[in-house]
Amino acid sequence: MHASSMTDEEVIRLYLASKPDDCFNTLYSRYVKKVYRRCLSLTHHVETAEDFTHDIFIRAFSKLSAFQGRSSFSTWLYAISYNYCISQLERLQRLNHIGLEGMGASVADTSSDDMVEVMYLQLNRAMATLSVDEVTLLKLKYEDDLGIDELARKYNIGSGAVKMRLKRSRDKVRRIYEHMDLN
C-alpha cells in the first residue's frame, strides 16, 4: 500500500516507528498548505506564517507519538496550529506592550493600524475561549468557505444543526469580545 492512498491514521501507525521521515513527509505534504493558510490568516505576514508553519510541524511531529486518534489528525494538527499561533502572537503583543510602556508611549499615541491590530488580537483571544470543535466549525465555514450542506455532511448532522452551532459560536465570540477591554 502506498502512503498517498492511506488515511492519516494509517500513515502514523505504519510509518512512525519504522520510517519516521516517510511519515513526516507524507503528513507534511498533505497539510503544509492548510497550516500555512491558517498561520497567514492569523498573522497577516508571509514570513511569520512561514516560520510558524515550520515550527508547528516540528512541534506536531515531536508529539505525534502522543496522538491518540480521539479526533482526526487534521483536527489535532489544527488545534496545535491555532494554539501555537495565538500564543506566539500574544507573546509578541506582550513584548510590544512592554516596549511601548518603557518608551513612555500611551494608547493616545497608538495609530489606527495599531488599534486594528489590538482589536484583532482581542478577537483571537475571544476565539481562544471556544472549544476546538467550535473554532474548527467557524474556520471551515469562514476561512475554507465550506457551505452549510458540506458542513452537515462532514459532521453527519442536519443543516439546521450546523446553522445553530455556527450562530451559537458566533454569539459566544461576540459576547466575550464585547466585554474585553480594548486598551
Side-chain angles (χ1 to χ4, degrees), residues 19-147:
K19 300 178 184 175
D21 289 343
D22 290 349
C23 183
F24 178 84
N25 291 336
T26 300
L27 297 174
Y28 182 85
S29 65
R30 286 183 186 177
Y31 291 102
V32 66
K33 289 180 183 175
K34 287 183 179 183
V35 170
Y36 171 75
R37 281 194 308 266
R38 294 214 192 278
C39 292
L40 186 60
S41 74
L42 292 168
T43 64
H44 302 289
H45 190 262
V46 171
E47 290 84 12
T48 302
E50 289 170 352
D51 290 344
F52 283 11
T53 299
H54 177 74
D55 294 345
I56 288 163
F57 273 97
I58 290 172
R59 176 172 285 197
F61 199 72
S62 71
K63 296 179 179 184
L64 195 55
S65 60
F67 174 68
Q68 297 175 352
R70 284 183 271 179
S71 63
S72 68
F73 174 77
S74 60
T75 300
W76 183 77
L77 181 61
Y78 170 75
I80 290 173
S81 303
Y82 182 79
N83 291 334
Y84 181 84
C85 288
I86 294 302
S87 69
Q88 292 302 309
L89 290 170
E90 286 177 343
R91 186 179 69 75
L92 290 171
Q93 182 65 23
R94 280 193 304 272
L95 290 174
N96 287 340
H97 182 69
I98 291 167
L100 287 174
E101 281 181 356
M103 295 185 301
S106 71
V107 174
D109 298 331
T110 306
S111 72
S112 62
D113 286 344
D114 290 340
M115 195 56 160
V116 168
E117 183 177 343
V118 168
M119 292 168 65
Y120 179 76
L121 288 171
Q122 293 291 77
L123 177 61
N124 282 323
R125 268 193 214 113
M127 289 285 293
T129 66
L130 299 179
S131 71
V132 171
D133 290 336
E134 290 170 319
V135 171
T136 301
L137 182 64
L138 289 171
K139 296 287 185 175
L140 288 170
K141 172 68 177 144
Y142 297 108
E143 282 185 8
D144 296 345
D145 293 324
L146 264 63

